[in-house]
């Protein structure tokens, strides 16, 4: 690998790899079948410091850098993409946002248990009619004395059922477009917060995805994250980190599919020799390896830029765009190499193929990433609705 990792980064990667292969992998396909939430493994990940990776020690995090984080996340995704998405939303979006913008009270009360892995974090911005265009969300938060009353429905919320708290965005001033959106930390069991329908998904089946319904949900004003009107920017910034996380998940799943395909190709014999001897397959393997490596380098460079405090909006989108499209190509090829065996559940590639499908969709579709990247290059921003 050309990217020079430090001893600490290699140590964290090795630790995550061992944990992933020994503890997470053996039950991953069973979880895919039963949809059982990996609560026990998440608890162990908390003990290993994987649930507050970029949070400093003073808030009970691991104080690791983003490069270490994406390496660890890729390792978890190698074994179980469902576990990885829970880790990704929790670390990249929830912990990061509270660490960056939370008050001391919020860090004490919410960040510490999140970092320990005692509770899981969720992020709720998407709504039934506001996905790619979150400015048009309709959830409202009306100020009443020392509290806000939140009303609305959020959709496709990762860990919606199992989270101990959720960062939710809502409109506090409908005259202000994106500057009228604010963010709030809402604890599980807050009256008026109802977990709605749980989706039955084609992939990531052990990670719950639910509606969250806010029905006159009263949240103390001290739970507002940042200032009134900061919610959209908080979400966008959080998604920059989140998108590097999706790149990491993509690299992990692609590597798993690739390793399975290489193993199979060496073992499977047709026409009197291993199918790995045929040039058609050898070229596929070469292309897969090249694409995975390219995605890994993009992921690492975006993570390193974040660690250096550089602007990562475009770089994070590039990493997400390329890696998520790459893993869809790689898992499709890995399945093809397995032939008929790729299509049945005795082999893990069909799970990798299903899990990868959402990566080009969530935390910003490929089309939205192209909007972000082209806006950055051309500097003459066009709204997606204007035909970008
Ligand atoms: N970091 C910080 N600020 C950002 C930002 C970012 N990554 N992206 C945008 N902003 C700021 C802009 O600078 C602008 O600020 P000003 O008010 O100072 O001008 C403001 O936010 C509004 O930005 P913009 O006008 O570009 O917003 P748009 O409504 O045009 O939307 C896209 C931009 C389409 C890129 C955005 O809506 C998006 O990312 N959509 C996808 C949402 C998504 O990923 N959903 C997945 C589910 S969430 S888990």
């Amino acid at each position: 690998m050309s990217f020079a990792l430090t001893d600490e980064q290699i140590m964290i990667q090795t630790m995550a790899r061992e944990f992933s292969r020994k503890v997470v992998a053996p039950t991953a396909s069973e979880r895919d079948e039963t949809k059982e939430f990996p609560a026990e493994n998440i608890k162990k990940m908390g003990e290993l410091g994987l649930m507050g990776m970029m949070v400093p020690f003073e808030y009970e995090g691991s104080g690791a850098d983003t490069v270490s984080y994406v390496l660890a996340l890729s390792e978890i995704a190698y074994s179980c993409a469902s576990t990885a998405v829970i880790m990704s939303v929790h670390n990249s979006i929830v912990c990061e946002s509270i660490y960056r913008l939370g008050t001391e009270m919020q860090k004490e009360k919410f960040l510490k248990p999140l970092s320990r892995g005692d509770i899981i974090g969720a992020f709720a911005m998407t709504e039934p009619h506001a996905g790619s265009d979150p400015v048009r969300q309709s959830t409202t938060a009306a100020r009443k004395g020392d509290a806000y009353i939140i009303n609305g429905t959020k959709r496709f919320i990762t860990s919606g059922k199992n989270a101990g708290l959720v960062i939710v965005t809502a409109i506090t001033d409908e005259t202000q477009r994106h500057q009228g959106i604010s963010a709030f930390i809402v604890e599980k069991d807050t009256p008026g917060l109802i977990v709605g329908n749980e989706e039955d998904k084609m992939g990531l089946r052990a990670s719950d995805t639910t509606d969250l319904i806010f029905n006159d949900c009263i949240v103390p004003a001290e739970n507002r994250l940042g200032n009134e009107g900061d919610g959209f920017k908080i979400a966008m910034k959080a998604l920059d980190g989140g998108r590097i996380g999706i790149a990491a998940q993509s690299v992990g799943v692609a590597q798993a599919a690739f390793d399975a395909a290489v193993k199979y190709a060496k073992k499977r014999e047709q026409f009197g020799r291993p199918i790995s001897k045929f040039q058609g397959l050898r070229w596929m393997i070469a292309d897969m390896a090249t694409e995975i490596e390219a995605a890994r380098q993009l992921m690492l460079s975006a993570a390193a830029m974040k660690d250096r405090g550089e602007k990562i909006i475009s770089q994070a989108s590039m990493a997400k765009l390329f890696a998520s499209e790459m893993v869809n190509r790689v898992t499709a090829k890995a399945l093809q190499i397995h032939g008929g065996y790729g299509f049945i559940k005795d082999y893990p590639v069909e799970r990798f193929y299903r899990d990868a499908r959402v990566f080009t969709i969530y935390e910003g579709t490929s089309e939205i990433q192209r909007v972000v990247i082209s806006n950055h290059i051309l500097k003459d921003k066009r709204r997606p609705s204007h035909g970008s």
Side-chain angles (χ1 to χ4, degrees):
M1 186 188 294
S2 63
F3 198 96
L5 299 176
T6 64
D7 289 347
E8 190 184 336
Q9 289 162 346
I10 292 168
M11 193 188 77
I12 292 173
Q13 181 185 35
T14 307
M15 178 274 287
R17 180 173 296 168
E18 280 172 11
F19 172 77
S20 174
R21 309 236 175 146
K22 276 195 200 130
V23 182
V24 180
T27 46
S29 83
E30 189 185 319
R31 271 194 301 281
D32 174 61
E33 203 69 46
T34 62
K35 292 168 70 180
E36 188 183 336
F37 189 77
E40 268 307 303
N41 286 347
I42 295 282
K43 198 162 164 271
K44 288 181 193 152
M45 285 161 66
E47 285 156 16
L48 288 174
L50 294 171
M51 296 307 277
M53 279 199 76
M54 294 167 289
V55 176
F57 298 124
E58 59 175 312
Y59 299 112
E60 303 194 22
S62 303
D65 58 13
T66 315
V67 168
S68 304
Y69 165 63
V70 292
L71 292 169
L73 184 55
S74 293
E75 293 298 336
I76 300 297
Y78 185 94
S79 302
C80 178
S82 295
T83 307
V85 69
I86 300 162
M87 173 179 169
S88 181
V89 171
H90 175 98
N91 277 278
S92 319
I93 299 196
V94 180
C95 290
E96 274 279 281
S97 298
I98 300 181
Y99 173 60
R100 250 180 349 98
L101 291 149
T103 60
E104 263 321 299
M105 179 287 277
Q106 291 169 351
K107 289 179 188 169
E108 276 296 318
K109 188 170 171 192
F110 304 125
L111 189 55
K112 285 186 174 178
L114 284 166
S115 300
R116 291 193 299 264
D118 291 351
I119 55 169
I120 295 162
F123 174 69
M125 178 164 73
T126 297
E127 297 185 358
H129 302 290
S132 290
D133 190 5
V135 171
R136 283 170 209 249
Q137 62 189 266
S138 55
T139 297
T140 54
R143 179 93 194 218
K144 196 170 177 204
D146 282 346
Y148 287 86
I149 305 173
I150 304 184
N151 278 292
T153 298
K154 296 290 178 179
R155 177 143 299 167
F156 299 144
I157 308 309
T158 299
S159 305
K161 188 173 76 179
N162 287 288
L165 68 79
V166 55
I167 296 179
V168 61
T169 58
I171 297 169
T172 41
D173 182 348
E174 61 188 19
T175 65
Q176 291 297 315
R177 218 179 85 87
H178 66 273
Q179 281 155 353
I181 295 172
S182 304
F184 303 89
I185 301 167
V186 185
E187 290 177 88
K188 186 195 177 117
D189 298 332
T190 305
L193 170 54
I194 300 147
V195 177
N197 177 50
E198 181 175 351
E199 306 296 348
D200 190 10
K201 311 193 294 295
M202 75 181 268
L204 302 184
R205 289 174 59 77
S207 145
D208 63 296
T209 304
T210 73
D211 277 3
L212 286 180
I213 300 147
F214 295 83
N215 185 7
D216 283 336
C217 179
I218 301 175
V219 178
E222 63 182 17
N223 281 20
R224 194 187 62 227
L225 193 57
N227 294 320
E228 254 194 29
D230 283 352
F232 185 75
K233 284 193 187 176
I234 290 172
M236 286 299 112
K237 201 149 177 41
L239 281 173
D240 292 340
R243 287 165 183 169
I244 305 176
I246 309 300
Q249 292 169 50
S250 303
V251 168
V253 173
Q255 189 66 51
F258 175 78
D259 289 352
V262 169
K263 189 171 151 206
Y264 184 84
K266 282 177 161 171
K267 202 181 63 188
R268 171 78 171 169
E269 290 195 5
Q270 291 291 283
F271 304 99
R273 53 188 173 147
I275 58 172
S276 61
K277 298 285 182 199
F278 293 100
Q279 192 178 46
L281 260 77
R282 297 176 83 88
W283 284 20
M284 266 166 139
I285 286 169
D287 286 346
M288 289 156 83
T290 306
E291 285 208 81
I292 296 171
E293 187 57 18
R296 183 177 288 117
Q297 297 304 325
L298 266 178
M299 165 194 90
L300 287 170
S301 78
M305 283 170 73
K306 181 165 176 286
D307 286 333
R308 291 195 299 267
E310 292 171 29
K311 252 188 139 178
I312 55 158
I313 299 178
S314 175
Q315 201 72 20
S317 281
M318 286 183 184
K320 201 266 185 190
L321 172 63
F322 183 79
S324 64
E325 299 207 333
M326 171 283 293
V327 69
N328 276 278
R329 290 190 292 269
V330 165
T331 52
K333 281 186 183 140
L335 199 151
Q336 187 70 19
I337 288 171
H338 280 74
Y341 292 104
F343 197 59
I344 62 174
K345 287 185 184 286
D346 292 2
Y347 288 81
V349 279
E350 64 84 30
R351 170 165 57 91
F352 302 148
Y353 180 81
R354 285 185 289 106
D355 284 342
R357 188 60 194 89
V358 77
F359 295 173
T360 60
I361 298 171
Y362 66 11
E363 296 201 20
T365 60
S366 285
E367 293 68 33
I368 287 295
Q369 306 314 324
R370 290 184 170 97
V371 168
V372 172
I373 297 162
S374 58
N375 283 349
H376 180 82
I377 294 166
L378 300 166
K379 313 268 187 224
D380 57 346
K381 191 174 89 68
R382 285 163 68 91
R383 296 270 297 150
S385 55
H386 294 170
S388 322

